[in-house]
Amino acid sequence: MRRNRLAGVAMMLGSGLSTQIGASVAALAFPVIGPAGVVAIRQWVAAVVLLSVGRPRLRSITARQWRPVVGLALVFAVMNLSLYTAIDRVGLGLAVTLEFLGPLAVALLGSRRVLDLVCALVAAPAVVLLTRPQVTTDYLGVGLGLLAAVGWAFYILLNRTVGRELPGATGSAVAAGLSGLAYVPVGVVVLLHHPPTVAAASYALVAGVMSSAVPFLVDLLTLRRVPAQFFGVFMSVNPVLAALVGLVVLHQQLAAIDWIAILVIVSANAAAVAFSRDAADHGPVPTGPCDVLHGVPELPVTPGFGRVARDGERRSSRATQ
């Protein structure tokens, strides 16, 4: 059991690093093909991976089921483009931290616990401190990071509906396919106007694999070894990993006060998970049907905090970085 837990920790760390390194490698291609070109290639990679895993039967999807799937496809497209553009403008650490506010807000707004209210009150000034509005602030970059957070929140809400309506990874696979298809004209226009070099195209492909395919497979195996609540707590370190990777790979410096703000936001989320009263199931999660955003499979937990639902309903925990 202890060996499984240690293996799970190593795999979660590897998955988180893969996601953030993928995002940092994507940033290396921005000067040549821009965030839109990188996102187009990443969406195509994600579509191929998810369609291969989900193998959806399109004829079996009804008109009512198509509506949330199309909404999810739109969320995929908008969220990833806004996140990558935010990374280009304000850096990896700040962009990922701002995006992280999406699931945090969904979970807090859906909770009536005093602890969650305290966590929100602690996290809010940390966000203001992290962005530090002033004349020189890149408000567009901050706004795009918050738009990515809104996209992540809508993903959680839409994924509940898609998870109820469609089995396994069918919904996410179709949504990823639609999003990848929508990016065909965008990608063609961008790549024709900004012809990619071999290096830039390679960076974008690596980003698609490291931020989609690798985390998906690793997290799928991890959830067989660790409890859902533990997975949720560990997921909270992604903004810290993003800041570290941004420092090492992209040489994006953060002030000491920025690190403090990120740690406060992460700690607020981790506290809400660790002291959750809803964590009734402490065993490993069965990982047959999967649903992925940023490489994270569907979990029987409430959004954002990794709390196991009392009604047994499958709910998604996340979805990229």
Side-chain angles (χ1 to χ4, degrees):
M1 186 67 180
R2 180 180 176 83
R3 183 176 299 177
N4 276 344
R5 182 65 65 87
L6 291 175
V9 170
M11 294 170 75
M12 285 187 290
L13 181 60
S15 174
L17 284 174
S18 178
T19 299
Q20 305 309 331
I21 291 174
S24 68
V25 169
L28 297 176
F30 290 167
V32 179
I33 59 178
V38 174
V39 171
I41 294 174
R42 177 185 163 170
Q43 294 298 103
W44 298 337
V45 172
V48 170
V49 171
L50 288 178
L51 287 171
S52 299
V53 173
R55 298 181 181 179
R57 298 178 181 179
L58 299 181
R59 293 182 180 180
S60 65
I61 302 177
T62 65
R64 187 184 70 177
Q65 293 170 332
W66 271 110
R67 284 192 289 271
V69 169
V70 171
L72 193 58
L74 180 62
V75 166
F76 277 147
V78 173
M79 181 178 61
N80 287 324
L81 181 58
S82 58
L83 174 64
Y84 274 43
T85 308
I87 291 172
D88 187 35
R89 300 184 69 94
V90 300
L92 183 61
L94 176 55
V96 171
T97 303
L98 290 173
E99 187 200 28
F100 189 72
L101 298 175
L104 182 63
V106 170
L108 291 176
L109 290 173
S111 173
R112 292 179 173 83
R113 296 189 308 153
V114 175
L115 174 61
D116 288 337
L117 177 60
V118 172
C119 290
L121 293 175
V122 169
V127 174
V128 175
L129 186 64
L130 187 63
T131 56
R132 290 200 294 282
Q134 51 190 305
V135 176
T136 58
T137 298
D138 191 330
Y139 289 103
L140 179 57
V142 171
L144 288 168
L146 293 174
L147 178 60
V150 172
W152 197 350
F154 271 102
Y155 163 77
I156 292 170
L157 300 175
L158 281 170
N159 192 52
R160 285 183 178 179
T161 303
V162 171
R164 287 193 298 264
E165 296 288 340
L166 294 166
T170 298
S172 281
V174 175
L178 290 175
S179 181
L181 190 62
Y183 266 96
V184 169
V186 175
V188 169
V189 171
V190 171
L191 297 179
L192 283 177
H193 282 78
H194 304 280
T197 61
V198 174
S202 300
Y203 291 147
L205 287 172
V206 168
V209 172
M210 295 192 70
S211 294
S212 295
V214 171
F216 166 69
L217 296 173
V218 173
D219 290 341
L220 186 62
L221 295 173
T222 301
L223 289 167
R224 296 173 181 171
R225 292 173 167 81
V226 302
Q229 188 184 24
F230 185 64
F231 185 91
V233 172
F234 197 90
M235 192 176 70
S236 304
V237 306
N238 271 279
V240 176
L241 292 177
L244 288 172
V245 170
L247 175 64
V248 174
V249 179
L250 302 176
H251 308 293
Q252 296 174 342
Q253 299 283 346
L254 289 176
I257 197 169
D258 295 325
W259 283 104
I260 293 172
I262 290 174
L263 291 174
V264 167
I265 294 170
V266 168
S267 299
N269 182 57
V273 183
F275 297 100
S276 171
R277 293 176 300 179
D278 296 331
D281 180 7
H282 296 283
V285 179
T287 54
C290 294
D291 197 359
V292 179
L293 175 65
H294 299 323
V296 177
E298 183 183 51
L299 306 176
V301 299
T302 53
F305 287 141
R307 296 197 295 264
V308 178
R310 290 178 179 177
D311 58 7
E313 179 187 355
R314 292 178 306 178
R315 296 171 184 168
S316 176
S317 65
R318 190 169 50 143
T320 346
Q321 259 24 355

